[in-house]
Amino acid sequence: PCVAFIGNGSAGHYTKMVHNGIEYAMMQLISEAYAILKNVCGCSNDEIHAVFTEWNHGPLQSFLVEITANIFTVADDANTSQKLIDKVMDRAAQKGTGLWTSESALQLHVPAPTIDEAVAARDLSSFKKERMIISGFHKGSIPSNNHPDKTQVIRQLHDALYFGVAISYVQGLHLLQTASATYNYEINISEVIRVWKGGCIIRSAMLNDLGKAYAKNNQLLNVLLDKEFYLHLRNHRNEMVGTLAIAMDNEIAVSCMGSCLGYFDMFSTGRLPSNLIQA
């Protein structure tokens, strides 16, 4: 179910690279949601496990959400009374495919800011020593939790994560469509979505909605051009705004979430202030 002829030349390799770029974005978005659950809602690991497990039985159903839920149940081998997640160093490594996706998007002039931010976030995480020094400069000055309604925050966060994951797919598929035309790959986007649904790291229920859009028009340059899909995403915009406000009030870095909203709003604007740049 997850095998197909993708296209001419290096089309298969390129599609796998973009798959990994989308994965980078999705993983960073999930980690930002985790930061809010932990630091704003004050959720325990067991509670976070329950939240992600519930989310995996709805619109956010995906392989990444499923394995994220499982992470919070794993005990530390050295001390079984503690969870492994709390012992893992907060430095995220990378093998390069996310970076390659960003590089290719820049070369083809396709905006993929959420993938870019996911790569940058991994780079930033590597500066552990420096981060610890700087965090000591404001110790105790971070505002207290201004949003005690845990249920409301979690509900809003669910929709914000849905919005963000969708935008990650949108950016990756736009890049694939452009690369296909530029390099004569002749990639069938509907077939790519079918393969990704069949079995891969970024498989999810959301691919069904994307598949419907491309079934109507397989030549869509950007899936936001499908009115039904666009309006569906727009219904989640306010939840992303609210989530960003909560994160900023509590000094939680959510660069990927922020990039998703900026991308969506710019693509929704008929006349941008770019005329001033030109002037």
Side-chain angles (χ1 to χ4, degrees):
C2 55
V3 175
F5 178 76
I6 298 300
N8 304 321
S10 57
H13 290 291
Y14 192 94
T15 300
K16 171 59 176 170
M17 178 194 74
V18 173
H19 163 285
N20 286 20
I22 296 171
E23 179 190 343
Y24 269 55
M26 290 172 64
M27 291 178 75
Q28 180 62 28
L29 288 163
I30 290 170
S31 75
E32 291 175 2
Y34 158 60
I36 293 172
L37 289 171
K38 182 179 176 67
N39 299 313
V40 176
C41 298
C43 292
S44 66
N45 288 321
D46 288 339
E47 287 176 313
I48 297 173
H49 162 72
V51 169
F52 278 107
T53 298
E54 181 180 348
W55 287 357
N56 194 49
H57 290 90
L60 277 174
Q61 186 279 319
S62 66
F63 175 70
L64 283 173
V65 170
E66 176 187 341
I67 64 173
T68 296
N70 294 337
I71 285 170
F72 295 97
T73 67
V74 180
D76 177 29
D77 288 339
N79 185 345
T80 55
S81 65
Q82 296 180 326
K83 299 299 184 183
L84 180 63
I85 184 65
D86 297 321
K87 297 296 183 179
V88 177
M89 179 64 74
D90 58 329
R91 288 194 300 231
Q94 53 186 307
K95 295 182 179 179
T97 44
L99 171 63
W100 302 342
T101 305
S102 285
E103 288 178 337
S104 183
L106 288 166
Q107 289 167 351
L108 293 173
H109 304 289
V110 176
T114 307
I115 297 172
D116 298 339
E117 286 290 351
V119 175
R122 294 200 187 195
D123 288 336
L124 205 155
S125 76
S126 69
F127 291 92
K128 174 68 173 178
K129 179 181 176 181
E130 291 78 7
R131 289 189 289 110
M132 291 299 294
I133 293 172
I134 296 169
S135 69
F137 296 162
H138 61 76
K139 201 166 187 179
S141 66
I142 295 178
S144 60
N145 183 358
N146 298 316
H147 304 272
D149 188 345
K150 183 188 294 188
T151 302
Q152 170 67 14
V153 173
I154 292 174
R155 184 200 63 76
Q156 189 168 255
L157 184 57
H158 171 279
D159 287 357
L161 183 57
Y162 182 93
F163 182 96
V165 170
I167 292 296
S168 302
Y169 282 124
V170 169
Q171 293 175 15
L173 292 171
H174 186 176
L175 178 56
L176 265 188
Q177 196 75 286
T178 302
S180 180
T182 303
Y183 304 129
N184 194 33
Y185 283 152
E186 296 185 329
I187 295 173
N188 183 326
I189 300 296
S190 293
E191 185 70 350
V192 169
I193 291 173
R194 183 195 66 78
V195 168
W196 285 352
K197 282 167 52 181
C200 72
I201 293 174
I202 63 171
R203 64 181 181 269
S204 71
M206 195 181 300
L207 286 167
N208 293 322
D209 295 327
L210 289 160
K212 291 176 184 176
Y214 282 101
K216 288 185 284 184
N217 180 4
N218 200 41
Q219 300 304 311
L220 274 176
L221 179 65
N222 187 300
V223 72
L224 292 179
L225 290 167
D226 181 87
K227 185 176 181 180
E228 183 178 353
F229 185 82
Y230 169 80
L231 293 175
H232 176 61
L233 269 195
R234 189 168 184 84
N235 288 334
H236 296 287
R237 184 187 178 281
N238 286 343
E239 281 67 33
M240 177 60 90
V241 172
T243 296
L244 289 172
I246 290 170
M248 287 186 284
D249 282 345
N250 290 274
E251 296 189 21
I252 297 173
V254 285
S255 56
C256 266
M257 287 188 179
S259 73
C260 290
L261 184 63
Y263 176 91
F264 183 83
D265 284 350
M266 286 189 77
F267 253 116
S268 305
T269 302
R271 181 170 173 80
L272 292 169
S274 305
N275 59 308
L276 180 58
I277 296 172
Q278 287 299 95

